[in-house]
């Protein structure tokens, strides 16, 4: 026969019934409730304020009940003192951050002074949760060690790139293409895959460690207008329509001129030719003027890099240098078709604008100007070269444009 269980409320009600029934004995009330007399007696000793009230038991039994009640009170008092001492000792742990982990630590540190069951009861913990936390301690310690080592590597990469890399680029640097399969079977081109590519580092973990160590990629937004339109010149149709993509290299280019402020009040200027396929800066020119020869030099630089620009599209804004007869002649000689967006709409040349913003953000940072023209030319040239060879680009799946083109060409050869 299964054992009967009673709620605490039922027990209190039974005691109340016994005490409120005048002349009732423990035996009669117990029989009425369908329980054992000794069971009711124990309930009375525990819950009644006056266990002798209404009792018809003889005095020895009443004396025993009083003695048991005193012992119960002593036990309760001892438990309260123990609970007070535990909470006092645990107070310093609660100021350490994560309250749940702090309680686990306290239980672990004091388990030789108090039973684990009692500690968990006072701190309102589940014992199984504590033992699970304790069992995972070695793995947790290993993870902490791994995080410290990874944070050191992140700091080195962050410093190597002058504080310009954010979590995603640093993760790509750590993984060095964790999944080369994204570009197909590239054969020998997969040599850059790291040894630990089986366990790539997630950029969210990198972001967490960067935040913990006070590292953040540099962010700055500046808007500059350098376009001076010449309404008397020919305007070309928009062949790009804000689709800054291409199926192959050397098909679609965008370009722009941006100014580089010097501390003495003068300016240097950078003209660019960027391939829409890989975002590679194929041609560029730096000068202390914004004449047509600047953009012609940048276009010729691109032709030198590619060998030929025949059939390619070059997209720009309506700046007077791009609508000039000299530049149109250079495009015809190189077999380049010109394309232009709408007047006064930077979004129609967003790729070139984005490049200019990234350059100034990562080279100037908090400085408003370059120290002099020599420093400007040196720093901008260095950044433009690194942009192609080492700077990881989100469009290129966090490869550098040069590596992206190389791997893509390898994939195309394998497919053909």
């Amino acid at each position: 026969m299964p054992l009967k269980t009673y709620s605490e409320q039922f027990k209190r009600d039974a005691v109340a019934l016994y005490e409120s029934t005048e002349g009732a004995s423990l035996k009669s009330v117990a029989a009425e409730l369908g329980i054992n007399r000794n069971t009711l007696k124990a309930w009375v000793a525990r819950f009644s304020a006056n266990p002798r009230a209404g009792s018809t038991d003889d005095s020895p039994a009443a004396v025993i009940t009083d003695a048991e009640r005193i012992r119960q009170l002593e036990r309760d008092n001892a438990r309260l003192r123990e609970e007070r001492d535990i909470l006092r000792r645990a107070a310093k742990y609660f100021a350490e951050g994560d309250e749940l982990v702090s309680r686990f630590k306290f239980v672990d540190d004091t388990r030789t002074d108090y039973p684990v069951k009692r500690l968990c009861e006072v701190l309102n913990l589940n014992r199984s949760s504590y033992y699970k936390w304790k069992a995972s301690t070695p793995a947790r310690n290993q993870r902490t060690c791994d995080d410290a080592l990874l944070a050191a590597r992140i700091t080195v990469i962050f410093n190597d790139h002058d504080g310009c890399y954010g979590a995603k680029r640093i993760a790509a640097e750590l993984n060095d293409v964790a999944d080369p399969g994204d570009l197909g079977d590239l054969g020998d081109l997969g040599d850059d895959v790291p040894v630990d590519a089986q366990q790539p580092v997630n950029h969210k973990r990198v972001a967490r460690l960067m935040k913990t160590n006070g590292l953040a990629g540099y962010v700055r937004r500046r808007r500059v207008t350098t376009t001076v339109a010449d309404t008397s010149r020919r305007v070309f149709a928009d062949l790009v329509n804000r689709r800054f993509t291409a199926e192959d290299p050397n098909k679609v280019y965008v370009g722009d001129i941006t100014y580089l402020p010097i501390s003495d009040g003068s300016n240097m200027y950078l003209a660019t030719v960027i391939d829409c396929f890989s975002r590679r800066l194929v041609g560029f020119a730096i000068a202390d003027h914004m004449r047509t020869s600047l953009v012609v030099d940048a276009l010729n630089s691109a032709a030198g890099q590619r060998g030929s620009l025949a059939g390619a599209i070059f997209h720009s804004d309506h700046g007077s240098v791009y609508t000039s007869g000299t530049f149109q002649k250079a495009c015809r000689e190189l077999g380049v078709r010109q394309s232009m967006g709408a007047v006064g709409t930077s979004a129609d040349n967003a790729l070139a604008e984005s490049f200019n913003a990234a350059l100034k953000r990562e080279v100037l940072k908090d400085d408003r100007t370059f120290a002099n023209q020599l420093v400007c030319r040196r720093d901008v040239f260095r950044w433009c070269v690194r942009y192609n060879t080492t700077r990881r680009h989100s469009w290129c799946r966090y490869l550098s444009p040069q590596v992206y083109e190389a791997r893509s060409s390898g994939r195309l050869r394998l497919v053909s």
Side-chain angles (χ1 to χ4, degrees), residues 78 107 129-130 158 171 216 237 242 250 257 311 345-346 352 370:
V107 173
S129 298
Y130 160 71
F158 184 82
R242 300 188 182 182
N250 202 24
I257 295 178
T345 305
S346 61
F370 292 94

Side-chain angles (χ1 to χ4, degrees), residues 362-413:
E362 297 185 8
V363 177
L364 278 174
K365 295 184 180 177
D366 288 325
D367 296 330
R368 303 181 70 87
T369 61
F370 292 94
N372 53 57
Q373 291 189 358
L374 182 63
V375 171
C376 174
R377 180 180 291 275
R378 181 196 64 200
D379 290 351
V380 171
F381 176 81
R382 176 177 178 269
W383 189 89
C384 288
V385 172
R386 287 172 59 87
Y387 174 87
N388 283 333
T389 58
T390 62
R391 184 183 183 276
R392 296 179 182 274
H393 202 298
S394 57
W395 171 265
C396 302
R397 298 170 184 158
Y398 290 99
L399 297 171
S400 68
Q402 187 169 297
V403 173
Y404 181 79
E405 279 194 4
R407 295 191 176 188
S408 299
S409 62
R411 174 178 60 82
L412 292 174
R413 288 197 300 271

Side-chain angles (χ1 to χ4, degrees), residues 166-385:
K168 289 188 177 180
R169 284 192 172 89
I170 290 179
E173 188 83 11
L174 290 167
N175 294 326
D176 197 18
V177 193
D179 186 9
D182 288 344
L183 293 177
D185 183 7
L186 305 184
D188 294 337
L189 295 174
D191 292 341
D192 290 334
V193 179
V195 176
D196 59 349
Q198 302 297 330
Q199 297 178 336
V201 179
N202 188 282
H203 71 274
K204 294 180 180 179
R205 182 184 179 192
V206 174
R208 172 176 60 81
L209 293 176
M210 288 181 68
K211 183 177 180 180
T212 301
N213 290 273
L215 303 177
Y218 192 84
V219 177
R220 189 178 186 184
R221 293 178 175 85
R222 300 176 61 183
R223 298 186 63 182
V224 178
T225 302
T226 57
T227 302
V228 179
D230 186 349
T231 57
S232 65
R233 297 289 184 179
R234 176 186 175 188
V235 175
F236 294 89
D238 188 348
L239 304 178
V240 175
N241 294 317
R242 300 188 182 182
R243 294 191 297 271
F244 302 109
T245 59
E247 294 182 358
D248 298 296
N250 202 24
K251 296 296 183 183
V252 182
Y253 292 93
V254 298
D256 194 16
I257 295 178
T258 188
Y259 88 108
L260 309 168
I262 310 300
S263 60
D264 62 6
S266 63
N267 293 314
M268 296 284 283
Y269 297 91
L270 170 70
T272 55
V273 180
I274 304 169
D275 195 317
C276 289
F277 173 76
S278 62
R279 277 32 179 183
R280 182 176 178 178
L281 182 62
V282 181
F284 68 94
I286 307 171
D288 60 357
H289 61 80
M290 202 172 64
R291 295 190 291 271
T292 304
S293 59
L294 177 65
V295 293
V296 172
D297 288 345
L299 192 64
N300 287 331
S301 173
Q305 287 290 315
R306 291 303 195 193
S308 172
L309 297 180
I313 295 172
F314 179 78
H315 182 80
S316 67
D317 57 26
H318 287 257
S320 58
V321 293
Y322 292 116
T323 58
S324 67
T326 303
F327 187 75
Q328 292 180 35
K329 179 182 177 182
C331 287
R332 287 194 300 270
E333 291 176 350
L334 293 172
V336 173
R337 291 185 293 163
Q338 282 190 260
S339 168
M340 291 183 176
V343 177
T345 305
S346 61
D348 284 353
N349 201 19
L351 176 54
E353 297 282 357
S354 176
F355 174 90
N356 295 338
L359 182 149
K360 292 183 180 181
R361 181 178 64 247
E362 297 185 8
V363 177
L364 278 174
K365 295 184 180 177
D366 288 325
D367 296 330
R368 303 181 70 87
T369 61
F370 292 94
N372 53 57
Q373 291 189 358
L374 182 63
V375 171
C376 174
R377 180 180 291 275
R378 181 196 64 200
D379 290 351
V380 171
F381 176 81
R382 176 177 178 269
W383 189 89
C384 288
V385 172

Side-chain angles (χ1 to χ4, degrees), residues 22-211:
E22 187 176 351
S25 65
L26 287 171
K27 183 177 181 180
S28 62
V29 174
E32 183 178 351
L33 295 172
I35 61 176
N36 186 277
R37 173 185 174 282
N38 290 330
T39 301
L40 180 58
K41 179 180 177 182
W43 291 354
V44 170
R46 181 177 177 186
F47 297 110
S48 175
N50 183 15
R52 298 179 65 184
S55 176
T56 59
D57 292 346
D58 53 13
S59 57
V63 171
I64 293 173
T65 301
D66 283 341
E68 293 218 359
R69 183 166 178 268
I70 291 171
R71 284 195 292 272
Q72 180 64 38
L73 289 174
E74 290 175 345
R75 286 194 295 268
D76 291 344
N77 193 30
R79 286 173 63 84
L80 289 173
R81 285 198 303 270
E82 182 182 59
E83 183 173 333
R84 179 201 61 192
D85 294 340
I86 290 174
L87 291 175
R88 280 181 178 174
R89 294 179 60 177
K92 64 179 181 179
Y93 284 79
F94 295 155
E96 295 182 1
D98 190 323
E99 184 179 335
L100 182 61
V101 172
S102 297
R103 285 186 285 172
F104 286 150
K105 287 181 179 178
F106 174 73
V107 173
D108 198 51
D109 291 345
T110 57
R111 68 186 187 277
T112 56
D113 300 328
Y114 302 98
V116 171
K117 180 179 179 180
R118 179 60 177 151
L119 289 167
C120 291
E121 178 184 333
V122 172
L123 298 178
N124 195 26
L125 289 174
N126 190 311
R127 267 191 298 168
S128 62
S129 298
Y130 160 71
Y131 285 120
K132 183 177 180 180
W133 174 87
K134 185 172 176 59
S136 64
T137 297
R140 189 167 54 254
N141 291 340
Q142 182 62 48
R143 196 158 51 244
T144 301
C145 214
D146 293 343
D147 279 354
L149 294 173
L150 181 59
R153 295 172 62 193
I154 289 171
T155 303
V156 170
I157 294 172
F158 184 82
N159 293 333
D160 284 348
H161 293 274
D162 300 323
C164 296
Y165 269 19
K168 289 188 177 180
R169 284 192 172 89
I170 290 179
E173 188 83 11
L174 290 167
N175 294 326
D176 197 18
V177 193
D179 186 9
D182 288 344
L183 293 177
D185 183 7
L186 305 184
D188 294 337
L189 295 174
D191 292 341
D192 290 334
V193 179
V195 176
D196 59 349
Q198 302 297 330
Q199 297 178 336
V201 179
N202 188 282
H203 71 274
K204 294 180 180 179
R205 182 184 179 192
V206 174
R208 172 176 60 81
L209 293 176
M210 288 181 68
K211 183 177 180 180

